[in-house]
Amino acid sequence: MSRNTWHIQREGARLTLSRRLPARFDVMASAEFPTMGRGRLARQIRQDLWRLLKGLRGFSPVIQIDATETGLQVSAGGSMLASTPVPKGTEARIQALLDCPAHRRRWLAWAQERGQ
């Protein structure tokens, strides 16, 4: 697998962006977003999640976005190598990223730039 390979799976109202298949969550946080371009939103969250956790050995980001009647339900996190435990506080760090107003504004602007 090349270093730049990301898998995008679209199954009905669900979009999943991951490096490894099958995508799995060993650690995860969730947040709600208004309706916007799911693919663009997933890529932006993945980039910022990777920047946040790039020092976490064995971590592989996963972003899952479900379209709902009221907007989008985003689950962000990822998987660890089998022998690597998830460090304490990782879920809280991911939740803080998803709840950060500055990041959310930037993601919203980027994902709405070209529409749905």
Side-chain angles (χ1 to χ4, degrees):
M1 169 171 42
S2 84
R3 258 182 95 80
N4 294 321
T5 301
W6 288 93
H7 302 281
I8 299 174
Q9 297 175 293
R10 297 175 191 269
E11 300 167 9
R14 174 173 285 171
L15 178 140
T16 305
L17 174 67
S18 65
R19 172 66 61 109
R20 299 179 191 140
L21 289 177
R24 91 171 187 270
F25 287 104
D26 293 329
V27 61
M28 177 180 69
S30 299
E32 293 185 11
F33 286 81
T35 301
M36 62 183 81
R38 293 180 299 160
R40 291 174 69 89
L41 177 62
R43 283 189 297 275
Q44 287 296 295
I45 293 173
R46 193 264 316 155
Q47 287 175 353
D48 288 330
L49 180 62
W50 181 249
R51 289 179 188 125
L52 176 70
L53 300 175
K54 66 183 172 187
L56 187 56
R57 291 182 55 87
F59 178 74
S60 181
V62 176
I63 309 298
Q64 185 172 290
I65 301 178
D66 292 301
T68 66
E69 292 179 10
T70 59
L72 301 175
Q73 179 66 39
V74 174
S75 298
S79 62
M80 302 292 292
L81 291 178
S83 62
T84 309
V86 178
K88 239 181 178 181
T90 302
E91 183 177 330
R93 292 175 68 192
I94 297 169
Q95 190 65 58
L97 175 70
L98 292 177
D99 293 341
C100 175
H103 281 98
R104 290 177 70 97
R105 277 192 302 275
R106 186 169 52 79
W107 297 337
L108 179 65
W110 176 255
Q112 287 185 335
E113 194 171 283
R114 292 190 185 156
Q116 309 285 326

